[in-house]
């Protein structure tokens, strides 16, 4: 059973069934428990305070593949007419390739792919780097509560707002079966 405090952060969400279990997720994304020291050092390295709701979810399971991987989008993206898909949510750490400060984390996408420095890229998409999901701190500053955005490299790094905050983003995630791939 998921922690009661976490259930209050994400009301109505099935936290016990949120994550998909897979060897790939374990090897690429899921790190160990993020201590206060680790969270602080990753925040210092990235230059942004992570949303408390994100940190709380990572303390349940530090990164991985959610069962529901599609998020509604308000307008067409290069992925689909009305949604974006994600591969995984990155954990807090450095040791896993797909962690926030790992070899394929936020700094990689900014420095190697030219993604705009708007915040923290926390979820990758099935396009193999051609679009990402990020915490966007442009309106709130590095210590504020960021909105969640989709950044599409294929159309000049266009930024599309997906949710006003991380809780809303997580609650908006839907299964692939909710969308028509045709």
């Amino acid at each position: 059973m998921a922690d009661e405090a976490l259930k209050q952060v994400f009301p109505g969400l099935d936290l016990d069934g949120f994550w998909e279990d897979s060897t790939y997720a374990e090897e690429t994304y899921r790190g160990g428990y993020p201590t206060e020291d680790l969270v602080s050092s990753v925040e210092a390295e990235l230059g942004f305070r992570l949303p408390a709701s994100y940190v709380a979810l990572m303390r349940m399971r530090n990164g991985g593949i959610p069962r529901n991987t599609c998020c509604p989008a308000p307008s067409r993206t290069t992925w689909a007419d009305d949604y974006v898909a994600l591969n995984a949510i990155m954990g807090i750490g450095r040791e896993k390739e797909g962690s926030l400060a790992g070899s394929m984390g936020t700094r990689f996408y900014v420095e190697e792919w030219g993604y705009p420095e708007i915040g923290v890229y926390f979820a990758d998409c099935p396009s193999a780097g051609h679009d990402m999901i990020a915490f966007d701190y442009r309106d709130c500053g590095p210590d504020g509560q960021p909105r969640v955005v989709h950044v599409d490299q294929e159309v000049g790094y266009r930024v599309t707002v997906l949710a006003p905050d991380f809780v809303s983003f997580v609650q908006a995630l839907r299964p692939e079966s909710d969308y028509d791939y045709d």
Side-chain angles (χ1 to χ4, degrees):
M1 186 63 117
D3 181 64
E4 289 303 316
L6 192 57
K7 286 184 178 186
Q8 290 178 9
V9 173
F10 295 96
L13 188 68
D14 176 14
L15 291 165
D16 294 326
F18 182 78
W19 298 103
E20 189 73 46
D21 290 323
S22 77
T23 302
Y24 174 72
E26 287 290 324
E27 292 173 353
T28 307
Y29 297 100
R30 187 175 177 189
Y33 182 84
T35 64
E36 286 297 328
D37 288 343
L38 178 61
V39 172
S40 294
S41 71
V42 168
E43 288 175 334
E45 181 177 328
L46 298 177
F48 298 95
R49 181 182 307 267
L50 298 170
S53 56
Y54 168 78
V55 173
L57 187 63
M58 294 306 103
R59 288 200 166 127
M60 175 190 168
R61 180 182 287 195
N62 193 15
I65 301 170
R67 288 189 192 281
N68 296 327
T69 57
C70 296
C71 182
S75 58
R76 180 169 181 66
T77 67
T78 53
W79 183 258
D81 288 337
D82 57 354
Y83 74 99
V84 297
L86 62 114
N87 276 339
I89 297 173
M90 297 178 185
I92 301 169
R94 294 177 182 83
E95 75 280 356
K96 296 292 182 167
E97 177 181 286
S99 57
L100 292 182
S103 63
M104 299 286 286
T106 291
R107 299 306 321 150
F108 171 79
Y109 286 99
V110 169
E111 294 167 4
E112 300 294 324
W113 281 72
Y115 273 82
E117 292 193 62
I118 61 172
V120 176
Y121 293 88
F122 73 90
D124 58 356
C125 298
S127 66
H130 293 276
D131 61 332
M132 297 289 296
I133 297 173
F135 294 126
D136 179 2
Y137 290 83
R138 291 177 297 172
D139 291 343
C140 65
D143 293 320
Q145 288 303 309
R147 58 193 178 175
V148 174
V149 299
H150 175 253
V151 181
D152 199 332
Q153 182 257 351
E154 291 294 314
V155 285
Y157 298 100
R158 180 179 62 209
V159 176
T160 302
V161 177
L162 298 176
D165 54 54
F166 184 67
V167 171
S168 300
F169 170 75
V170 167
Q171 290 174 325
L173 292 175
R174 300 288 176 257
E176 289 179 7
S177 61
D178 280 8
Y179 294 94
D180 180 12
Y181 283 109
D182 298 330

